[in-house]
Amino acid sequence: MAIKQHIRLTVDAVVFGYIPKEGIVVLLIKRTIEPYLHSWALPGGFVRDEESLEDAVTRELLTESGVNINYLEQLYTFGGPDRDPRGRVVSIAYFGLVNPTNYKLAASSDAEDASWFNIKDLPDLAFDHATIIDLAVKRLRNKIRYEPIGFELLDQKFPIADLEKLYETLLDRPIDRRNFQKKINHLGILFAHNEKQKQVSQGRPAKLFSFNEEKYFQLKKEGMAFEI
């Protein structure tokens, strides 16, 4: 018996950044097409017949926002029958981390604007993209416990206070800073520089650190237990 099937396939990209004065932000684009004309949404679109899922999400992200990322992690498949008014559309969502200061946003194609939004102050979103972002935030918070976070989000050199603030922002709660620094030092993922940076909120200049890339990515690959 022939199976009647009219499912179409899309990809969506959840790109998180970290801005010290704002917290965790996510990249959104404003649509120039129906449905949800002029609504904010995640960068994404239909997968072409000749391309892989990874090529499709990279292409959509670049053309709609100007952001080019080499690696995006697959998040989840969203396939509710009523999630798209155009018909049955299944979407594979991906997520990644970037430092927003390294990118100049440039909306084009199906997007008239691209901007970063604090994850705690999002506009009304098209489709089920609020649900997708909510799941991505939960995944990001869980990652803290089994792999290091920060290399993609912080400047190349940073005071330890920036890393503490990043973890506090991700966890959405204060942390014991002395205990945090002790555990981070035990992981061996930081290099200490002789340079110092004057802090706006502190009287004494703070020592600058960089990530030990070899150790960082070794732990990212092998996993770790990090309870704070």
Side-chain angles (χ1 to χ4, degrees), residues 95-112:
F95 85 107
L97 309 174
V98 301
N99 184 336
T101 60
N102 295 334
Y103 294 89
K104 183 178 181 180
L105 301 183
S108 63
S109 184
D110 298 338
E112 61 183 345

Side-chain angles (χ1 to χ4, degrees), residues 159 161 195-208:
E195 303 170 55
K196 292 186 177 181
Q197 181 184 78
K198 188 174 182 180
Q199 299 291 283
V200 175
S201 59
Q202 299 176 6
R204 298 172 57 188
K207 181 177 288 189
L208 294 177

Side-chain angles (χ1 to χ4, degrees), residues 14-18 23-26 73-75 95-98 119 132-153 166-167 169-172 216 220:
V14 186
V15 179
F16 290 116
Y18 176 66
I24 302 298
V25 294
V26 65
E73 179 177 333
Q74 194 170 121
L75 174 67
F95 85 107
L97 309 174
V98 301
I119 59 171
I132 295 175
I133 292 174
D134 185 57
L135 184 66
V137 170
K138 291 176 181 174
R139 176 75 65 85
L140 184 58
R141 286 177 174 157
N142 284 335
K143 287 172 78 70
I144 288 175
R145 307 185 190 287
Y146 59 83
E147 66 177 59
I149 293 284
F151 180 82
E152 302 88 346
L153 297 170
L166 171 62
Y167 272 74
T169 304
L170 287 170
L171 292 167
D172 201 23
Y216 182 96
K220 199 172 180 69

Side-chain angles (χ1 to χ4, degrees), residues 110-130:
D110 298 338
E112 61 183 345
D113 195 6
S115 185
W116 297 100
F117 285 83
N118 190 306
I119 59 171
K120 290 185 175 181
D121 190 22
L122 296 176
D124 291 335
L125 297 176
F127 307 103
D128 53 357
H129 290 182

Side-chain angles (χ1 to χ4, degrees), residues 158-173:
F158 52 87
I160 193 71
D162 280 6
L163 187 60
E164 293 169 356
K165 188 177 178 183
L166 171 62
Y167 272 74
E168 286 186 332
T169 304
L170 287 170
L171 292 167
D172 201 23
R173 63 172 171 81

Side-chain angles (χ1 to χ4, degrees), residues 16-221:
F16 290 116
Y18 176 66
I19 300 175
K21 291 184 178 179
E22 293 192 31
I24 302 298
V25 294
V26 65
L27 177 62
L28 299 176
I29 59 98
K30 184 176 281 188
R31 292 170 60 81
T32 60
I33 59 173
E34 296 283 5
Y36 299 104
L37 178 66
H38 303 314
S39 293
W40 289 100
L42 293 168
F46 288 100
V47 180
R48 295 172 179 170
D49 288 344
E50 70 281 6
E51 66 185 350
S52 69
L53 295 174
E54 290 74 19
D55 287 344
V57 73
T58 302
R59 172 181 55 76
E60 288 288 344
L61 178 61
L62 178 60
T63 57
E64 291 188 345
S65 71
V67 173
N68 189 19
I69 304 180
N70 292 327
Y71 176 74
L72 288 160
E73 179 177 333
Q74 194 170 121
L75 174 67
Y76 194 73
T77 301
F78 295 83
D82 301 321
R83 62 175 300 275
D84 193 319
R86 293 170 294 190
R88 187 68 195 278
V89 178
V90 173
S91 185
I92 314 293
Y94 288 77
F95 85 107
L97 309 174
V98 301
N99 184 336
T101 60
N102 295 334
Y103 294 89
K104 183 178 181 180
L105 301 183
S108 63
S109 184
D110 298 338
E112 61 183 345
D113 195 6
S115 185
W116 297 100
F117 285 83
N118 190 306
I119 59 171
K120 290 185 175 181
D121 190 22
L122 296 176
D124 291 335
L125 297 176
F127 307 103
D128 53 357
H129 290 182
T131 301
I132 295 175
I133 292 174
D134 185 57
L135 184 66
V137 170
K138 291 176 181 174
R139 176 75 65 85
L140 184 58
R141 286 177 174 157
N142 284 335
K143 287 172 78 70
I144 288 175
R145 307 185 190 287
Y146 59 83
E147 66 177 59
I149 293 284
F151 180 82
E152 302 88 346
L153 297 170
L154 297 178
D155 293 335
Q156 186 178 7
K157 296 179 181 178
F158 52 87
I160 193 71
D162 280 6
L163 187 60
E164 293 169 356
K165 188 177 178 183
L166 171 62
Y167 272 74
E168 286 186 332
T169 304
L170 287 170
L171 292 167
D172 201 23
R173 63 172 171 81
I175 60 175
D176 182 328
R177 295 188 170 184
R178 182 175 296 182
N179 189 41
F180 174 79
Q181 290 187 24
K182 183 179 178 182
K183 291 188 174 183
I184 286 291
N185 289 335
H186 180 71
L187 292 176
I189 60 173
L190 296 183
F191 280 131
H193 296 277
N194 291 325
E195 303 170 55
K196 292 186 177 181
Q197 181 184 78
K198 188 174 182 180
Q199 299 291 283
V200 175
S201 59
Q202 299 176 6
R204 298 172 57 188
K207 181 177 288 189
L208 294 177
F209 293 83
S210 292
F211 283 107
N212 177 336
E213 290 189 39
E214 182 178 354
K215 186 65 175 178
Y216 182 96
F217 287 102
Q218 179 187 344
L219 289 178
K220 199 172 180 69
K221 180 180 180 181

